[in-house]
Amino acid sequence: RDPARRILAAMFRARLDEAPGCAPGSQECMDQLLTNTVPENIELNQEAAVRSVVLLRNDGLLPLSPGGRVRKVALIGALNAEAEHVSQYLPPADLYSGGGSGHVGAGPSLQKPLPALRRRAEELGFEVLVSNCSGAGECNATAEEFREEALRVARAADAVVWVAATTATEGEDRSSLSLDPSGQLDLSIAAVARERPTAVLLQVPGTVVLPWRDEVAAIACLFLGGEQTGFAWASIVFGDAAPSGKLPIMLPKTEDGTILPGDGGNVKYAEGLFTSYRSPSAERDSAFPFGHGLTFTKFSYGAPTVKAPADCAGAKSVGVLPPREVL
């Protein structure tokens, strides 16, 4: 009785008995879901996306500040990907939300990386250069042609911001932990990083292998950040906010030790619990360990003391930007 009472209470509170609304699965329902937003929800989405950014590496390139050594910024990669909404069966994956029954389609408030990054850069006085291709195949370019285009744009700039992305969907295993199973995207990022200081912004559905991690100047990871992805990237890249996210998983150095998917309809869970960051070899195997996450400042920690919650000040920042630390 209690479950039924809760369901009916929610229905009556929303007055669905007076106006039943749309039929589940219909285009009318989808249109309502995509347009039923209010400023408060957009602001909450922005805050959630910004706080979700995990800074994996930074040699001082980020944040990009006006008046610094960087005047021209090249934008390369998955900058302008569209959001997917409907399918005859399960919703498809995109670069803002994974596919399947948990997919949340981005509505009219979608902030793509390209317009958000370019708008904030120009507001701060940076000159912005944009690659003609957002990725191999996006402009009928081969992997080699895409790489040459990326190098051309990078060489004309002082620094590069590269949005690197992949996605995943329910009911289907990823073929590898690489951003691009062919390996061509990794080669392109490494080639550009050898030419100019490069910050790579990751939009990924889970763990990835980053063979160029020691060649780039900075790496930040948002996973799949929803409709305010572009806002979050612009806020972090240009220092409007400091990153505070921590990795909820381990990012391995290589795919060695990867647990392969099942064969046909048989899946054997023989690996036990001591995998990934629980593994005895986690420290040796991880490129970025579980819980890792940097920010634009440093923190000092004193000896722990017991205090009332109202008196707890937390860690002390010794940097310049307003900090947020997660312990």
Side-chain angles (χ1 to χ4, degrees), residues 51 243-247 291-293 295 299 301 315 323-327:
R51 291 200 191 185
S244 62
K246 305 294 183 183
L247 278 181
H292 176 74
T295 188
F299 290 88
Y301 301 91
R324 184 184 298 273
E325 175 70 322
V326 177
L327 301 177

Side-chain angles (χ1 to χ4, degrees), residues 42-166:
I42 294 175
E43 291 173 5
L44 183 61
N45 287 340
Q46 291 174 340
E47 181 181 4
V50 169
R51 291 200 191 185
S52 297
V53 174
V54 183
L55 185 63
L56 301 176
R57 173 185 172 89
N58 188 27
D59 70 355
L61 177 61
L62 297 181
L64 299 179
S65 303
R69 57 192 174 96
V70 175
R71 303 294 179 87
K72 296 181 180 179
V73 180
L75 302 180
I76 303 174
L79 297 164
N80 216 28
E82 298 293 339
E84 300 288 347
H85 301 306
V86 294
S87 171
Q88 184 179 358
Y89 302 104
L90 290 176
D94 57 34
L95 300 183
Y96 311 103
S97 177
S101 57
H103 179 80
V104 179
S109 301
L110 172 64
Q111 291 285 311
K112 299 178 183 178
L114 175 58
L117 287 166
R118 177 156 55 187
R119 179 172 57 250
R120 190 65 183 123
E122 291 176 346
E123 288 173 351
L124 295 172
F126 291 96
E127 182 178 344
V128 178
L129 308 174
V130 181
S131 168
N132 292 328
C133 295
S134 60
E138 294 293 326
C139 56
N140 297 319
T142 65
E144 291 75 15
E145 290 169 341
F146 169 65
R147 189 175 306 131
E148 288 305 314
E149 165 65 8
L151 286 168
R152 179 191 68 79
V153 175
R155 287 167 180 153
D158 301 316
V160 174
V161 174
W162 190 312
V163 178
T166 187

Side-chain angles (χ1 to χ4, degrees), residues 7-22 32:
I7 292 172
L8 290 172
M11 291 176 62
F12 289 130
R13 188 177 296 116
R15 297 186 176 180
L16 295 182
D17 58 320
E18 301 173 14
C22 59
Q32 289 186 25

Side-chain angles (χ1 to χ4, degrees), residues 253-288:
K253 294 177 181 176
T254 69
E255 292 201 47
D256 294 344
T258 300
I259 299 169
L260 299 177
D263 179 17
N266 299 315
V267 179
K268 295 181 180 179
Y269 294 91
E271 65 274 6
L273 295 176
F274 296 102
T275 62
S276 186
Y277 63 87
R278 300 186 187 94
S279 170
S281 62
E283 184 175 354
R284 180 193 67 210
D285 296 339
S286 63
F288 300 102

Side-chain angles (χ1 to χ4, degrees), residues 14-38:
R15 297 186 176 180
L16 295 182
D17 58 320
E18 301 173 14
C22 59
S26 68
Q27 185 61 46
E28 182 186 3
C29 262
M30 182 60 66
D31 291 341
Q32 289 186 25
L33 287 172
L34 294 176
T35 57
N36 186 20
T37 57
V38 295

